[in-house]
Amino acid sequence: MALPQVAIVGRPNVGKSTLFNRLVRQRRAIVEEVPGTTRDRIYGVVEWDGIRFGVFDTGGLLTEEEIARSTERELVEATKAQAELAIAEADVIVFVVDASTGPTTGDWEVANFLRQTKKPIVLVANKAESRERELAALQFYELGLGDPIPISALHGKGIVDLLEAIAERLPAREREVEEAEFEKPKIAIVGRPNVGKSALLNAILGQPRQIVSPIPGTTRDAVDTELVWKGQPIVLIDTAGIRRPGRIERGIERYSVLRAERAIERADVAIVVIDASEPFTHQDQAVAGKVIDAKKGVVLAINKWDLFEHMEGAREAFEEDARETFHFMPWAPLVFISALTGKNVEQVVDLALVVVAERSRRIPTAELNDLLREAVAHHPPPTKPGKWVKFYYVTQAEVNPPTFVFFCNRPELVHFSYRRYLENRIRERYGFLGTPIELIFRERARSAPAWERSRK
């Protein structure tokens, strides 16, 4: 059964993201003293006293007058729409206000809107670090939403009282259900800014879960979306665009890039989105390089293909260019998509799940050693006068990523080109589509392992 959901809402800069981070016990949402930092819904799971529930962080709700004055009106209205979607999905709403300012016009507007939802509301007066501010929180009784709970999300004060209030309002039947835990494949959607990452996520979901805007940098946080794909539960992670280090500005953008890199670290596979309407760039290579450095699976998705699919020979030319640009990962699958029309969107997710399965493949040791003997017989390792490399055996030590350990007499003499040769032989026989594989060479005594001696 699905977890109950809690939405954190309020006007900008009242501490919603700080509270979200406190509840999920991670720095998942970006926290800055800049109104409007959070734009999309950020999702996490809270566990407390045997109770589990999902929680949404949302962008700040502005008054109609503030929206009219905004220089980014389209983006502000989209942020408001995202918050309203979170409210519609929620079982409980946590309404955060600022104890240091007292009730404002914006608080009254939000309160009037929330009353119309007919949902349980927990009123939280944040930034109540001192006794004076605790007393000031009493002013929020006038909003007519019940007892305000004074807290300090920054210092953790009052969080237990808040959790108890949320637990009291959760649907009773959900509180009694212990959801089965299992590892879901995590697929990150990454790329440089404005290549269509959020549009791809929306096309996969078939609903406007993420804000889609032509303004580069719209997505600032890494956002997890859980769904069931053809019977398989998966997690999609949308991320902020990754720029070259020299072009990363301080502050929010810098943190956004860090979030994207952390999203890659916790993903199993990354879909690297590339804009077909622009030449391939060093930035595209850098993004793919980050995925490879993290030893994650990868699928290359050439987006906006609807602009070129009618041109004769375009696909072959693009594929040749892509293979040359991403020469360091020839094993990565390549798919041409259009997030706008939905073309091949299903295929890109299917490919990502194939890569997940490839990363978990384990090869029997006996088969690996047969392959090693054949490879060495066909192409022996280079030798130097008085120095040669003798391989004893190979075994697969790990999965995710697949890791193979070769035992030999002189690991330091195994040249890079021979390492690549052995990797290619493994891939020729076993595939490992879309995933890096790691080869480790270790010194071993000259005697063969027991299992090999027993076969002779």
Side-chain angles (χ1 to χ4, degrees), residues 53 123 134 169 211 244:
F53 58 88
L123 179 60
E134 282 188 34
R169 291 163 174 78
I211 298 171
R244 291 196 303 271

Side-chain angles (χ1 to χ4, degrees), residues 295 368 371-372 391 394-395 397 401-407 414-427 432 435-442:
K295 306 294 183 184
L368 283 173
L371 182 148
L372 177 60
F391 287 98
V394 57
T395 187
T403 302
F404 302 92
V405 181
F406 291 79
F407 292 91
V414 181
H415 192 267
F416 169 78
S417 61
Y418 202 77
R419 292 169 182 253
R420 186 170 54 189
Y421 165 72
L422 291 174
E423 177 180 343
N424 290 340
R425 293 301 296 264
I426 292 173
R427 289 189 182 278
F432 291 111
T435 182
I437 64 176
E438 190 167 2
L439 274 55
I440 299 172
F441 296 85
R442 289 182 180 167

Side-chain angles (χ1 to χ4, degrees), residues 54-86:
V55 59
F56 287 105
D57 184 22
T58 64
L61 294 170
L62 301 178
T63 65
E64 293 300 326
E65 182 181 348
E66 288 171 329
I67 293 175
R69 293 200 311 264
S70 174
T71 57
E72 295 182 310
R73 182 166 181 174
E74 180 183 349
L75 198 56
V76 169
E77 288 179 341
T79 299
K80 181 181 179 182
Q82 291 295 312
E84 290 173 350
L85 278 172

Side-chain angles (χ1 to χ4, degrees), residues 153-455:
L154 183 63
H155 298 98
K157 180 180 179 181
I159 299 300
V160 171
D161 293 337
L162 169 59
L163 287 167
E164 288 179 349
I166 292 172
E168 289 173 1
R169 291 163 174 78
L170 292 176
R173 66 180 184 279
E174 299 284 5
R175 292 174 58 189
E176 296 169 0
V177 174
E178 189 69 30
E179 186 178 84
E181 278 295 318
F182 56 91
E183 193 65 28
K184 306 178 184 71
K186 295 182 179 65
I187 303 171
I189 302 175
V190 302
R192 58 188 173 87
N194 211 30
V195 294
K197 299 182 298 297
S198 294
L200 174 57
L201 176 64
N202 289 346
I204 293 170
L205 295 176
Q207 61 167 314
R209 178 59 187 266
Q210 278 293 100
I211 298 171
V212 180
S213 167
I215 303 171
T218 299
T219 300
R220 289 172 171 170
D221 293 274
V223 183
D224 289 8
T225 304
E226 296 188 10
L227 69 152
V228 177
W229 183 265
K230 299 181 180 180
Q232 167 70 62
I234 64 174
V235 178
L236 293 177
I237 309 171
D238 187 25
T239 62
I242 300 176
R243 302 190 181 200
R244 291 196 303 271
R247 298 186 61 186
I248 298 171
E249 298 175 7
R250 295 182 63 83
I252 291 174
E253 184 180 2
R254 179 185 177 191
Y255 295 139
S256 297
V257 173
L258 290 175
R259 293 294 189 276
E261 292 175 350
R262 287 179 60 186
I264 291 172
E265 287 290 343
R266 59 193 181 88
D268 298 297
V269 176
I271 299 172
V272 178
V273 183
I274 301 161
D275 188 342
S277 67
E278 300 178 0
F280 298 136
T281 69
H282 290 301
Q283 267 183 275
D284 294 320
Q285 289 179 314
V287 173
K290 289 182 183 294
V291 179
I292 302 305
D293 289 344
K295 306 294 183 184
K296 304 298 181 178
V298 63
V299 174
L300 292 172
I302 312 296
N303 191 27
K304 306 182 185 179
W305 187 239
D306 52 295
L307 301 175
F308 302 94
E309 59 183 339
H310 63 282
M311 298 171 58
E312 186 176 353
R315 184 185 181 93
E316 292 76 11
F318 266 87
E319 185 161 358
E320 183 179 351
D321 194 10
R323 289 304 178 195
E324 182 178 344
T325 301
F326 301 99
H327 58 87
F328 50 91
M329 49 182 202
W331 36 262
L334 180 68
V335 59
F336 292 86
I337 69 169
S338 171
L340 180 65
T341 67
K343 180 180 177 64
N344 288 338
V345 166
E346 182 176 344
Q347 183 183 353
V348 79
V349 181
D350 290 343
L351 270 174
L353 290 175
V354 168
V355 173
V356 170
E358 291 287 283
R359 288 174 59 77
S360 301
R361 177 185 288 190
R362 188 175 288 276
I363 310 302
T365 300
E367 289 187 23
L368 283 173
N369 282 278
D370 288 340
L371 182 148
L372 177 60
R373 279 189 290 272
E374 292 172 12
V376 171
H378 182 265
H379 178 37
T383 62
K384 294 181 179 180
K387 296 181 180 179
W388 66 94
V389 177
K390 179 176 176 59
F391 287 98
Y392 300 123
Y393 67 103
V394 57
T395 187
Q396 184 175 356
E398 299 286 347
V399 295
N400 295 317
T403 302
F404 302 92
V405 181
F406 291 79
F407 292 91
C408 60
N409 62 335
R410 297 178 183 272
E412 73 281 0
L413 295 183
V414 181
H415 192 267
F416 169 78
S417 61
Y418 202 77
R419 292 169 182 253
R420 186 170 54 189
Y421 165 72
L422 291 174
E423 177 180 343
N424 290 340
R425 293 301 296 264
I426 292 173
R427 289 189 182 278
E428 285 171 8
R429 182 165 299 184
Y430 298 109
F432 291 111
L433 179 72
T435 182
I437 64 176
E438 190 167 2
L439 274 55
I440 299 172
F441 296 85
R442 289 182 180 167
E443 187 172 2
R444 174 81 182 207
R446 291 174 182 266
S447 59
W451 65 266
E452 187 176 85
R453 294 197 301 270
S454 66
R455 291 178 54 180

